[in-house]
Amino acid sequence: MLRGSAVIDSHVHLDRREFEGAGPAVAARARAAGVTGFLNVGYDLASSRASLALAAGAPDIWAAVGVHPHDARLLADQDGRLHAEGRALLAELGRLAADPRVVAIGEIGLDFYRDLSPRPAQRAALAAQLELAAAAGKPVVFHVRDAWPEIMSFLDACGLPPRRGVLHAFSGDEAAVDWALDHGLRLGIGGMVTYRQSTLPAMVVRAGIDHLLLETDAPWLPPVPHRGERNEPARLPLVLDKVAGILQMDPGDVEQRTDAGFAALFRERQAGPP
Ligand SMILES: [Zn+2]
């Protein structure tokens, strides 16, 4: 128990093998540390199904379904064409996305750091899943790494789904912050904000509290002083306290404003037709 906080982890992977099937126990530890909600994010079909299963079993867990840019080859070939298996997978994601416990499409995006799928396949997978988000009337959880100029020009060209989304594990610069805010996107801030060399504190100030969501990305990206360990959502209060320090705000106010941002993005239906 770090402190008396009550804050939502907007990006976690309780189903990952690093947790050795102990996701429910990991969630219980986080609740004891003041975490009041979890968005469990998929990255392929199995993890999307696992996310929905977790969400179906706990009222404070919600799910996102999607194919990560690392796995874009599951949807498209190296020339950027959707293949038959990819179309079938997209149809299945569409069925999962219709469940009310699924509150977002993600994590989807571009990752030119590891380039685990060919870039044309990444772009095609992203475009197809943006269409899915628009059709399902859900916001997007974006994963972007070493592809900030590309994601900005890509989304400017093809347009964002009406419900917008969050740039999870935000790592962009000032231009990316300004672009995100102009496009109604929020920034997901996690353990990286605690790292000594991080430029994120300046981005947090630039964006302002009402455009931020807090996340752990557990089992990855543990905050200081837990670097090198498996991360847990119970560590989210360390991120909360760091952001409060950067913004010179009361941690309770940070929690309230970021939870309101989570609710506005993922839980409130837009007025008008879906
Ligand atoms: Zn993730």
Side-chain angles (χ1 to χ4, degrees):
M1 182 76 178
L2 289 157
R3 44 181 300 281
S5 60
V7 66
I8 295 174
D9 190 343
S10 68
H11 194 113
V12 65
H13 302 279
L14 294 168
D15 57 298
R16 278 291 303 185
R17 62 174 174 270
E18 285 84 349
F19 291 126
E20 298 167 339
V26 173
R29 275 201 291 279
R31 292 183 188 108
V35 176
T36 55
F38 309 83
L39 178 56
N40 205 83
V41 181
Y43 46 86
D44 61 10
L45 185 56
S47 62
S48 294
R49 285 184 173 138
S51 296
L52 179 51
L54 282 163
D60 59 355
I61 303 179
W62 295 274
V65 300
V67 173
H68 195 283
H70 289 344
D71 294 308
R73 63 176 75 247
L74 296 173
L75 296 179
D77 62 27
Q78 60 188 6
D79 300 318
R81 277 189 297 264
L82 297 178
H83 46 61
E85 297 83 354
R87 291 182 194 281
L89 204 166
L90 283 166
E92 180 59 19
L93 287 175
R95 281 189 285 276
L96 295 175
D99 192 296
R101 301 296 298 168
V102 174
V103 297
I105 302 302
E107 52 192 294
I108 67 176
L110 300 174
D111 191 312
F112 294 173
Y113 175 70
R114 295 186 66 190
D115 275 325
L116 293 185
S117 280
R119 293 180 183 187
Q122 292 191 37
R123 293 188 188 93
L126 174 56
Q129 293 182 98
L130 289 170
E131 281 180 30
L132 185 67
K138 312 257 163 148
V140 174
V141 176
F142 287 101
H143 169 105
V144 181
R145 191 153 183 212
D146 281 8
W148 290 99
E150 292 84 357
I151 196 82
M152 292 188 265
S153 55
F154 187 92
L155 292 176
D156 278 335
C158 72
L160 276 159
R163 293 279 305 273
R164 309 286 146 163
V166 58
L167 296 162
H168 132 75
F170 183 80
S171 61
D173 61 6
E174 289 87 348
V177 173
D178 295 348
W179 175 88
L181 268 53
D182 277 351
H183 289 72
L185 295 171
R186 293 169 200 271
L187 314 184
I189 303 296
M192 286 191 293
V193 77
T194 67
Y195 299 172
R196 194 170 305 162
Q197 302 294 332
S198 177
T199 58
L200 271 177
M203 305 308 142
V204 162
V205 169
R206 191 175 184 93
I209 186 66
D210 291 322
H211 302 281
L212 307 179
L213 300 183
L214 304 182
E215 63 173 58
T216 60
D217 202 19
W220 299 291
L221 297 176
V224 171
H226 297 285
R227 292 193 75 174
E229 300 172 21
R230 184 185 74 183
N231 197 13
E232 292 214 5
R235 308 248 168 85
L236 188 62
L238 293 170
V239 175
L240 171 69
D241 285 346
K242 180 70 181 184
V243 169
I246 291 165
L247 294 173
Q248 298 180 300
M249 287 177 67
D250 179 78
D253 292 338
V254 171
E255 167 249 305
Q256 201 177 31
R257 303 269 285 272
T258 54
D259 285 359
F262 182 92
L265 179 59
F266 294 121
R267 311 230 13 237
E268 289 165 13
R269 292 228 154 255
Q270 302 291 297

